[in-house]
Amino acid sequence: MSTGFIGLGAMGAPMARHLHARGLLTAVGNRTQAKADALAAGLGVRAARSADNFADCDVVALCVSLDADVLENVAALARVLRRGAVVVDHSTVSVQTATRAAALLGAEGIGFIDAPVSGGVEGARNGRLSVMAGGEAAVLEQVRPVLEAYAARISHMGGTGAGQATKAVNQVLVAGINEAVCEGLALGEKLGLDPQTLLPTLMAGAAGNWFLEKRGATLLESRFTPGFKNAHMLKDLRIASAIAASAGLQLPTLQQALADYGELVERRRGEEDTSSLIDLKRAGPKPVTGP
Ligand code: NAP
């Protein structure tokens, strides 16, 4: 199977490396060409300069940033891929974007699987991602060897868009956990508790979780290298909030997280890791302004 990978960021680059390790990677592409050139040279694969360079691929996986980036790549790939090829999208985008991508590709006889992932950059590096797939079962089977290169679990959640719907649910949990961890650790700091003892103590009990384990130590040292960017979290929470509203649900923790990441992005901290949320919790209550 010949696979292309587009979007070589914090997640995509290690995922592409796993494909290469399994002998599946043919070509890599990225918006900033230098990243594709460097990875391609390092791995001895093709550096794509345009969609044309993926024309011979059986599968092309995407892990780009926004909905518009997915649709731009899908439109270009729809023009060049052969019938029976499949595009897999690992980016976190809306259900509507997944539906649009499937329609654009389907019109050319090309398959599409929305397959957002969870597990963070550590999961991408270790090949231990949870993959949430939407689309036809037969098409998912076709691309399973690709997904297995970096997945701990592959879940078929339903038809097109079901993967993105599942990821929205995932992000409601992630956002709530981040809120709770940052509030708890801000309190721990104020009380003067020793972080060296506090973190393993919390991890050993019912409060233990991925975010505390992977980001607890660095966030207490105010080191906020991504990881997962605040700007991407804000994008995800806007998607989740729209889905919750259309399902008739009011989710107050999600709304608080939306406001917090909105504030971080407004303060030009969008490129920091989501653990910089602790700074908002350290600040204490906002002063009441106005009459
Ligand atoms: P990232 O580090 O910003 O990487 C995104 C990559 O995609 C960059 O290399 C970027 O190129 C490239 N790109 C963006 N638009 C493109 C386009 N139109 N055509 C070609 N390449 C394009 O982001 P990330 O953290 O890897 O996240 C990627 C996606 O996965 C996002 O949707 C994110 O929400 C999701 N995700 C992230 C995590 C995480 O923990 N980081 C976990 C699960 C899911 P440039 O070099 O030009 O910037």
Side-chain angles (χ1 to χ4, degrees), residues 76-164:
L77 290 168
R79 287 194 289 272
V80 299
L81 293 181
R82 55 169 181 71
R83 295 182 80 78
V86 181
V87 174
V88 179
D89 179 29
H90 293 302
S91 326
T92 304
V93 294
S94 67
V95 170
Q96 290 82 353
T97 291
T99 307
R100 178 98 190 95
L104 278 168
L105 292 161
E108 307 299 331
I110 302 162
F112 177 76
I113 298 288
D114 52 296
V117 295
S118 184
V121 291
E122 289 84 352
R125 286 184 202 128
N126 300 336
R128 303 290 300 161
L129 293 168
S130 176
V131 180
M132 309 158 198
E136 284 176 27
V139 179
L140 176 59
E141 283 318 303
Q142 216 179 312
V143 301
R144 189 174 283 277
V146 169
L147 304 183
E148 280 174 344
Y150 36 71
R153 181 187 165 92
I154 301 164
S155 308
H156 186 206
M157 301 305 298
T160 298
Q164 295 296 352

Side-chain angles (χ1 to χ4, degrees), residues 45-220:
V45 299
R46 185 189 308 153
R49 306 212 146 256
S50 74
D52 292 338
N53 298 128
F54 295 98
D56 59 346
C57 290
D58 302 305
V59 180
V60 178
L62 306 175
C63 193
V64 294
S65 307
L66 310 177
D67 293 61
D69 298 313
V70 171
L71 291 174
E72 173 191 309
N73 278 287
V74 160
L77 290 168
R79 287 194 289 272
V80 299
L81 293 181
R82 55 169 181 71
R83 295 182 80 78
V86 181
V87 174
V88 179
D89 179 29
H90 293 302
S91 326
T92 304
V93 294
S94 67
V95 170
Q96 290 82 353
T97 291
T99 307
R100 178 98 190 95
L104 278 168
L105 292 161
E108 307 299 331
I110 302 162
F112 177 76
I113 298 288
D114 52 296
V117 295
S118 184
V121 291
E122 289 84 352
R125 286 184 202 128
N126 300 336
R128 303 290 300 161
L129 293 168
S130 176
V131 180
M132 309 158 198
E136 284 176 27
V139 179
L140 176 59
E141 283 318 303
Q142 216 179 312
V143 301
R144 189 174 283 277
V146 169
L147 304 183
E148 280 174 344
Y150 36 71
R153 181 187 165 92
I154 301 164
S155 308
H156 186 206
M157 301 305 298
T160 298
Q164 295 296 352
T166 307
K167 175 73 182 189
V169 173
N170 188 84
Q171 295 309 79
V172 171
L173 272 72
V174 164
I177 290 166
N178 290 11
E179 290 288 316
V181 167
C182 289
E183 290 185 6
L185 293 185
L187 177 61
E189 282 181 335
K190 277 269 188 258
L191 300 179
L193 297 171
D194 173 17
Q196 302 290 344
T197 316
L198 180 62
L199 289 180
T201 304
L202 296 173
M203 274 309 299
N209 64 76
W210 187 99
F211 184 68
L212 183 65
E213 184 194 336
K214 307 284 194 227
R215 303 284 178 263
T218 46
L219 75 77
L220 287 175

Side-chain angles (χ1 to χ4, degrees), residues 222-233:
S222 293
R223 287 196 281 126
F224 305 130
T225 311
F228 182 41
K229 296 171 185 173
N230 289 324
H232 282 166
M233 178 66 117

